[in-house]
């Protein structure tokens, strides 16, 4: 990875941080987003220990459209990008709306991937890879275009599952749109991993996730493997539109293979954000 620039969202914790460190050890230069300067500084220190490239970070709250756009425009000033890893995400026990009037899980977990990717696409080098962290939870996701903002009967896990279904559909449509251009787009399930995921979700969800992580969670190292594989392995260089788990291509749910929904989600996301048209 020496000489390559890797952009990572959500690299201040969990699988995003470990993947960034592994790629830095392989020689990559890491440019990451963070929402907190202190946490960003801590990650930057780890990256400098891992590799001697000129690593950098950009601050942004990725649940806000204006911040997604600003940070992507800032990153677009960097030299050409070899890998874009869309990874920042969360599960919220209670419904919340962003200043844009978007449900916050949808905003952070889906719209940030959509907006940042579309703004950075012209800056991706030939041969570049776009890797998006989805989840096996997508199998429980139901995409109702009549209630994309989950105004009715909000429950944290189903809404999270819907956002992760959006990640697979987004990857599918993106791969179709960029096919033949020398850039690939894939997504993955990292496994159930003992990161900080769920700790700030609130309510019973946090307790449930904490308990499950303590007993069945993979180590963060293990959880970062498929992310690192898709970002750097020669074996993954020519695959596009795939859903991966354990460094192998896997079949996503039937809902995640619906081309009409993938196209419609793209269209709606472009209307919401004003990018990707
Ligand atoms: N852990 C699992 O079992 C699991 C399973 C399947 C999929 N995933 C997916 O894996 C990805 C990474 O999660 P993780 O498990 O590594 O969890 P994590 O340790 O909580 O890391 C999440 C990252 O996203 C960042 N982030 C959260 N909200 C943000 C916001 N509003 N603006 C900017 N950045 C924000 C966090 O920043 P801070 O450091 O500031 O909090 C952190 O860097 C997510 O997309 C998640 O859905 C996780």
């Amino acid at each position: 990875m020496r000489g390559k620039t890797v952009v990572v969202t959500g690299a201040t914790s969990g699988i995003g941080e470990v993947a960034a460190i592994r790629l830095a050890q392989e020689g990559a230069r890491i440019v990451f987003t963070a929402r907190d300067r202190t946490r960003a500084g801590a990650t930057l220190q780890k990256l400098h220990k891992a590799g001697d490239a000129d690593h950098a970070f950009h601050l942004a709250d990725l649940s806000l459209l204006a911040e997604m756009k600003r940070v992507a425009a800032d990153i677009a000033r960097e030299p050409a990008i070899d890998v874009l890893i869309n990874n920042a995400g969360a599960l919220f026990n209670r419904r919340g709306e962003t200043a844009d009037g978007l449900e916050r899980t949808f905003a952070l977990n889906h719209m940030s991937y959509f907006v940042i990717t579309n703004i950075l696409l012209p800056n991706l080098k030939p041969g570049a890879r776009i890797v998006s962290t989805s989840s096996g939870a997508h199998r429980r996701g139901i995409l109702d275009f009549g209630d994309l903002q989950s105004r009715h009967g909000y429950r944290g896990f189903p809404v999270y599952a819907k956002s992760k279904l959006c990640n697979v559909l987004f990857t599918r449509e993106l791969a179709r749109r960029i096919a033949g251009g020398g850039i690939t787009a894939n997504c993955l399930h990292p496994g159930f991993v003992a990161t900080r995921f769920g700790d700030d979700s609130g309510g019973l969800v946090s307790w449930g996730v904490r308990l499950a992580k303590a007993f069945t969670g993979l180590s963060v190292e293990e959880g970062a493997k498929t992310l690192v594989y898709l970002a750097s392995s020669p074996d993954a260089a020519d695959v596009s539109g795939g859903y991966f788990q354990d460094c192998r291509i896997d079949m996503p749910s039937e809902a995640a293979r619906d081309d009409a929904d993938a196209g419609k989600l793209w269209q709606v996301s472009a209307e919401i954000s004003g990018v990707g048209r």
Side-chain angles (χ1 to χ4, degrees):
M1 296 298 284
R2 192 153 293 282
K4 296 199 171 178
T5 297
V6 178
V7 173
V8 191
T9 73
T12 47
S13 178
I15 62 171
E17 184 180 55
V18 169
I21 291 169
R22 290 291 155 267
L23 294 166
Q25 284 170 338
E26 290 175 23
R29 172 173 184 251
I30 308 295
V31 176
F32 65 98
T33 69
R35 58 178 166 167
D36 177 277
R37 187 175 289 282
T38 308
R39 295 181 61 72
T43 298
L44 192 63
Q45 266 191 358
K46 293 179 196 172
L47 290 172
H48 283 314
K49 271 192 198 149
D52 56 7
D54 184 20
H55 310 297
F57 68 82
H58 297 264
L59 292 173
D61 177 348
L62 296 184
S63 62
L64 299 172
L65 289 172
E67 297 263 294
M68 299 169 201
K69 290 178 186 176
R70 181 191 49 74
V71 83
D74 286 350
I75 294 171
R77 286 192 210 104
E78 299 276 352
I81 297 160
D82 296 277
V83 181
L84 166 61
I85 299 178
N86 293 306
N87 171 75
L91 185 162
F92 303 101
N93 187 44
R94 282 222 180 140
R95 185 175 188 278
E97 271 189 15
T98 67
D100 305 299
L102 300 176
E103 187 283 313
R104 59 184 166 165
T105 322
F106 178 81
L108 172 66
N109 293 10
H110 167 63
M111 289 305 298
S112 77
Y113 288 20
F114 180 85
V115 169
I116 290 172
T117 301
N118 273 294
I119 293 177
L120 290 181
L121 256 182
N123 296 71
L124 298 186
K125 277 186 185 167
R129 305 176 185 202
I130 302 165
V131 183
S132 297
T133 305
S134 175
S135 169
H138 85 271
R139 298 185 191 283
R140 307 268 294 277
I142 297 169
L143 192 56
D144 172 5
F145 284 100
D147 189 24
L148 211 48
Q149 302 309 323
S150 307
R151 291 193 174 88
H152 306 291
Y154 184 95
R155 283 188 300 136
F157 184 76
V159 170
Y160 172 75
K162 174 167 73 173
S163 74
K164 294 288 133 180
L165 171 59
C166 288
N167 296 159
V168 189
L169 289 168
F170 161 65
T171 299
R172 192 172 181 89
E173 177 66 10
L174 175 64
R176 189 188 70 74
R177 286 177 176 246
I178 62 178
I183 296 175
T184 63
N186 291 293
C187 63
L188 69 131
H189 171 49
F192 183 57
V193 193
T195 61
R196 281 172 52 239
F197 181 77
D199 290 359
D200 300 329
S201 297
L204 280 177
V205 173
S206 278
W207 285 106
V209 175
R210 271 205 197 101
L211 211 62
K213 282 191 298 192
F215 287 105
T216 62
L218 294 175
S219 71
V220 187
E221 291 292 332
E222 218 25 67
K225 275 186 181 164
T226 306
L227 205 47
V228 174
Y229 169 81
L230 286 173
S232 61
S233 170
D235 296 345
D238 300 321
V239 191
S240 194
Y243 170 79
F244 285 73
Q245 179 173 358
D246 293 332
C247 302
R248 279 193 299 269
I249 198 149
D250 193 9
M251 181 77 89
S253 69
E254 198 181 334
R257 289 180 273 128
D258 186 319
D259 288 332
D261 274 1
K264 192 167 175 186
L265 177 65
W266 187 285
Q267 207 186 337
V268 173
S269 307
E271 276 161 20
I272 289 171
S273 62
V275 304
R277 288 188 220 257

